[in-house]
Amino acid sequence: GEALAVSARVAPLGSRLVLLLVEDLTEARRIEAVRRDFVANVSHELKTPVGALSLLSEAVMDASDDPEAVQRFAGRMQIEATRLTNLVQELIDLSRVQNDDPLEDAEPVRVDELVAEAVDRCRHQAGAKQIIMAAGGTADLHVWGNRGQLAAALGNLVENAVNYSPARTRVGIAARRVVAPGGDMIELAVTDQGIGISDKDKERIFERFYRVDPARSRATGGTGLGLAIVKHVVASHGGEVTVWSAEGQGSTFTLRLPEAGVARDRALHHPDLD
Ligand code: ADP
């Protein structure tokens, strides 16, 4: 009701105040507020890179006899195109998490397919930075859940790993089954050799709109929503996400999700979203 309306209006600030205002809302409602707010702002967000691309393409045409200028403009065009792609991807992810009960159409989902989709999603960016992506242990593993949402969760982690890593490093995705009291879980670990995250920031990165370095994030087209989406998805699937990181060395984000087979049971006991 009112809290949602208020949060929708001030959420772009990403301020502490907003978080306090919505503290009492369930995670699902938070995401709904995020989605509404994001959709409301997206026309503006999209206009900026589209406008820049249009100007830059004109500049390229005018500079056709100056190869250096053409190179420079083309580089900037690539940055704007990446930004557009990320915004559109974020929109797709948000539309995927909007339905009330993600487990309504839950099914066994092959882990190797999820990994392939996540890798595919940032193939272009990883290629440009000569980042090597490697996956292991995924064969014959299945998680239980909403395919689109699980793809959004893993996709965001892999995308971040590529985003926050320097050129010529490695991003690894490792999967394994772990025995847990309530039934086996599938663990998916995404490891990078990137900039890492300080202990102070680690506590906040899962908040929506929170970015460690907004200027850098803007340059990479980030919105600060990715990890909030990840957290929401794993919570609604009865899983969890954890992070290990050392500044300047890299990070590992680990998803734990119910294995298909035992998880149907777990899904029936509705995960505690509130
Ligand atoms: P963004 O759109 O900014 O990437 P996210 O919610 O996905 O938003 O991430 C929030 C912040 O957490 C990022 O802005 C970044 O500062 C930090 N972060 C996320 N993943 C990583 C990573 N693999 N390495 C370093 N920092 C990360």
Side-chain angles (χ1 to χ4, degrees):
E2 208 179 311
L4 272 179
V6 170
S7 77
R9 229 178 307 125
V10 292
L13 302 173
S15 69
R16 198 68 212 163
L17 174 69
V18 176
L19 291 162
L20 290 174
L21 275 173
V22 297
E23 210 79 77
D24 58 328
L25 296 178
T26 63
E27 187 64 23
R29 283 203 182 160
R30 282 189 209 195
I31 293 289
E32 176 55 21
V34 168
R35 190 183 63 81
R36 269 197 255 164
D37 173 64
F38 190 74
V39 171
N41 285 302
V42 85
S43 56
H44 176 76
E45 295 267 347
L46 292 174
K47 264 186 196 161
T48 313
V50 170
L53 277 172
S54 156
L55 286 174
L56 285 163
S57 62
E58 269 173 43
V60 165
M61 283 189 272
D62 290 345
S64 53
D65 52 352
D66 180 353
E68 250 172 55
V70 168
Q71 276 291 318
R72 207 169 55 240
F73 292 140
R76 282 172 55 190
M77 288 178 86
Q78 203 171 40
I79 291 173
E80 296 300 333
T82 301
R83 202 169 152 188
L84 258 184
T85 308
N86 289 347
L87 276 167
V88 170
Q89 185 65 57
E90 213 76 83
L91 259 185
I92 292 170
D93 288 348
L94 278 168
S95 74
R96 279 164 153 178
V97 299
Q98 69 179 290
N99 54 335
D100 288 338
D101 185 4
L103 299 182
E104 201 178 311
D105 34 49
E107 57 183 335
V109 180
R110 288 176 58 135
V111 169
D112 56 359
E113 283 178 10
L114 284 179
V115 170
E117 190 180 326
V119 168
D120 214 47
R121 177 166 158 165
C122 44
R123 189 178 296 286
H124 179 78
Q125 209 194 338
K129 290 168 85 172
Q130 291 177 270
I131 286 175
I132 295 167
M133 292 202 274
T138 59
D140 299 326
L141 296 183
H142 294 76
V143 288
W144 177 257
N146 181 299
R147 178 183 297 271
Q149 294 202 4
L150 293 171
L154 187 65
N156 265 292
L157 293 185
V158 176
E159 204 167 74
N160 279 345
V162 171
N163 242 333
Y164 299 105
S165 289
R168 283 178 289 279
T169 54
R170 189 175 178 279
V171 169
I173 308 167
R176 61 179 187 135
R177 178 189 289 118
V178 291
V179 179
D184 288 0
M185 304 286 278
I186 300 296
E187 207 173 80
L188 277 161
V190 181
T191 300
D192 65 55
Q193 301 170 325
I195 59 175
I197 306 159
S198 73
D199 287 338
K200 178 173 77 56
D201 288 317
K202 246 176 250 169
E203 294 166 18
R204 301 203 54 194
I205 49 172
F206 291 96
E207 294 171 10
R208 63 211 173 105
F209 297 118
Y210 187 78
R211 294 166 304 188
V212 173
D213 178 354
R216 184 198 167 98
S217 246
R218 210 170 301 119
T220 57
T223 56
L225 289 176
L227 289 178
I229 290 173
V230 173
K231 190 179 155 196
H232 174 72
V233 169
V234 295
S236 66
H237 280 74
E240 61 179 4
V241 55
T242 52
V243 57
W244 172 91
S245 186
E247 271 182 289
Q249 286 180 46
S251 312
T252 297
F253 283 81
T254 305
L255 294 178
R256 259 187 193 221
L257 294 160
E259 188 190 26
V262 295
R264 184 187 290 271
D265 238 4
R266 187 188 312 267
L268 292 176
H269 310 289
H270 200 272
D272 189 9
L273 281 174
D274 305 341

